[in-house]
């Protein structure tokens, strides 16, 4: 397949590029703003998308977009819909949009499914929900958008993020020998490894197009809903940390509990290959190869950390 992937410098996008290149696909990447790709998303024209089989839009914004609402609007809506309309006009039949479980907000139901109402609580989540809605609207017999709502991602990546729960706990455990737990640690938190996200993207690309046409999928495993204190305990055991602190901020006592029955009904062979303990072990091994983690936590507030030591031989999704 010839695949266009956005945000090759992002947490998920960098791994998607590595995974699908390793599988033998022809992967072309585009950045949204001063990334590592040769092309810029907003500069794309119809001629640039000719002969592509699929688009995987992983574009994301890090930090707090509430401080920059126009940037959030541009990245999360304008660029995404520009790309989708170009793909449709060019005849690219498959469009996978990596949204987020953040569109659900703090779950008010006992659990959330793909049929649950969206209640985005941040500008970023609001624009993701708008993109989802408009992508489904422009679907046609020749253009099949598929929307993914992953649980909260964890695990190593060439462009790792530390503003996600498990990675943040592991980073602090490694650099400060402590773990900070949001709130009282009782909030529910669904998690999924970034390689499992890559795995389901591969499943969708290989599936008959009518099966995934205009579909929304939660991505994860129902057994991988944990309370924050449970995730902290697994990280602490792996990193041999005994120093815990509790904060006043977090998801509240409820958090979010997701179910993933639909994706397993559509793809019976799909199984999440990583649990949080395995993810913590992977991060421990990853940190031993990356001597700049300490300076990242002490000198920068950016949630991203780029590593040239990512073990690419581990990215197989076959």
């Amino acid at each position: 397949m010839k695949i266009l992937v956005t945000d090759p410098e992002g947490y998920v996008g960098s791994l998607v590029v590595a995974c699908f290149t390793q599988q033998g696909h022809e992967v072309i990447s585009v950045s949204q703003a001063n990334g590592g790709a040769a092309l810029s998303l907003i500069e794309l024209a119809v001629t640039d998308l000719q002969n592509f089989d699929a688009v995987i839009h992983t574009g994301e914004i890090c930090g707090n977009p509430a401080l920059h609402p126009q940037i959030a609007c541009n990245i999360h809506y304008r660029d995404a819909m520009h790309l989708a309309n170009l793909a449709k006009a060019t005849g690219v039949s498959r469009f996978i949009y990596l949204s987020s479980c953040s569109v659900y907000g703090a779950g008010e139901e006992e659990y959330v499914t793909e049929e649950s109402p969206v209640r985005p609580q941040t500008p970023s989540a609001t624009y993701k929900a708008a993109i989802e809605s408009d992508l489904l609207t422009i679907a046609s017999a020749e253009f099949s958008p598929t929307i993914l709502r992953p649980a909260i991602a964890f695990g190593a990546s060439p462009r790792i993020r530390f503003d996600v729960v498990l990675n943040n706990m592991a980073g602090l455990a490694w650099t400060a020998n402590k773990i900070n737990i949001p709130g009282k640690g009782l909030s529910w938190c669904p998690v999924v490894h970034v390689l499992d996200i890559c795995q389901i993207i591969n499943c969708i690309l290989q599936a008959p197009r009518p099966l995934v046409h205009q579909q929304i999928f939660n991505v994860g495993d129902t057994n991988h809903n944990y309370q924050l204190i449970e995730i902290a305990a697994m990280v602490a055991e792996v990193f041999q940390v005994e120093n815990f602190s509790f904060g006043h901020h977090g998801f509240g006592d409820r958090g979010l509990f997701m179910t993933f029955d639909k994706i397993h009904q559509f793809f019976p062979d799909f199984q999440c290959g990583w649990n949080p303990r395995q993810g913590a072990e992977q991060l421990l091994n990853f940190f031993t190869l990356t001597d700049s983690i300490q300076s990242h936590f002490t000198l920068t507030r950016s949630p991203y950390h780029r590593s040239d030591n990512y073990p690419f031989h581990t990215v197989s999704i076959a």
Side-chain angles (χ1 to χ4, degrees), residues 126-199:
T126 298
Y127 290 120
K128 285 181 182 291
I131 292 167
E132 289 186 6
S133 176
D134 288 356
L135 280 176
L136 297 179
T137 299
I138 66 171
S140 68
E142 294 78 30
F143 180 70
S144 297
T146 304
I147 294 164
L148 303 182
R149 294 173 179 167
I152 298 172
F154 68 90
S157 162
R159 185 75 163 166
I160 193 168
R161 288 188 73 158
F162 286 114
D163 62 342
V164 287
V165 172
L166 192 150
N167 291 4
N168 184 266
M169 290 181 178
L172 283 174
W174 175 257
T175 59
N177 197 37
K178 67 178 181 179
I179 293 177
N180 291 338
I181 304 173
K184 299 177 182 179
L186 302 179
S187 302
W188 286 99
C189 178
V191 292
V192 64
H193 196 283
V194 284
L195 283 175
D196 289 323
I197 296 174
C198 292
Q199 180 191 169

Side-chain angles (χ1 to χ4, degrees), residues 221-282:
D221 188 309
T222 304
N223 291 325
H224 291 175
N225 286 281
Y226 297 90
Q227 289 181 297
L228 293 172
I229 190 67
E230 295 178 290
I231 297 175
M234 286 184 273
V235 173
E237 182 177 354
V238 170
F239 283 82
Q240 299 183 344
V241 171
E242 297 181 356
N243 183 10
F244 290 82
S245 64
F246 293 84
H248 299 291
H249 304 288
F251 301 108
D253 289 337
R254 175 59 199 161
L256 185 68
F257 193 105
M258 299 175 70
T259 64
F260 304 91
D261 295 342
K262 179 179 177 179
I263 202 163
H264 294 290
Q265 290 170 358
F266 277 65
F267 302 99
D269 294 333
F270 169 69
Q271 298 292 331
C272 287
W274 296 77
N275 62 40
R277 185 183 304 277
Q278 292 168 321
E281 292 169 349
Q282 182 202 34

Side-chain angles (χ1 to χ4, degrees), residues 107-140:
E108 297 183 11
E109 301 87 352
E110 182 179 358
Y111 54 84
V112 295
T113 72
E114 292 84 352
E115 302 300 321
S116 298
V118 295
R119 302 185 182 94
Q121 298 180 352
T122 66
S124 175
T126 298
Y127 290 120
K128 285 181 182 291
I131 292 167
E132 289 186 6
S133 176
D134 288 356
L135 280 176
L136 297 179
T137 299
I138 66 171
S140 68

Side-chain angles (χ1 to χ4, degrees), residues 1 93-94 96 144 146 199-213 215 217 266-268:
M1 276 189 173
S93 60
R94 293 174 181 260
I96 298 175
S144 297
T146 304
Q199 180 191 169
I200 197 59
I201 292 173
N202 185 55
C203 291
I204 290 169
L205 288 179
Q206 299 302 321
R209 187 161 64 91
L211 182 71
V212 296
H213 177 76
Q215 294 293 336
F217 295 104
F266 277 65
F267 302 99

Side-chain angles (χ1 to χ4, degrees), residues 1-3 5 14-27 54 56 96 195-207 312-318:
M1 276 189 173
K2 186 176 182 181
I3 304 170
V5 178
S14 60
L15 201 53
V16 169
V17 170
C19 286
F20 286 92
T21 299
Q22 188 179 73
Q23 278 209 330
H25 296 288
E26 181 181 357
V27 178
I56 304 172
I96 298 175
L195 283 175
D196 289 323
I197 296 174
C198 292
Q199 180 191 169
I200 197 59
I201 292 173
N202 185 55
C203 291
I204 290 169
L205 288 179
Q206 299 302 321
F312 280 96
H313 62 277
T314 68
V315 304
S316 175
I317 56 173

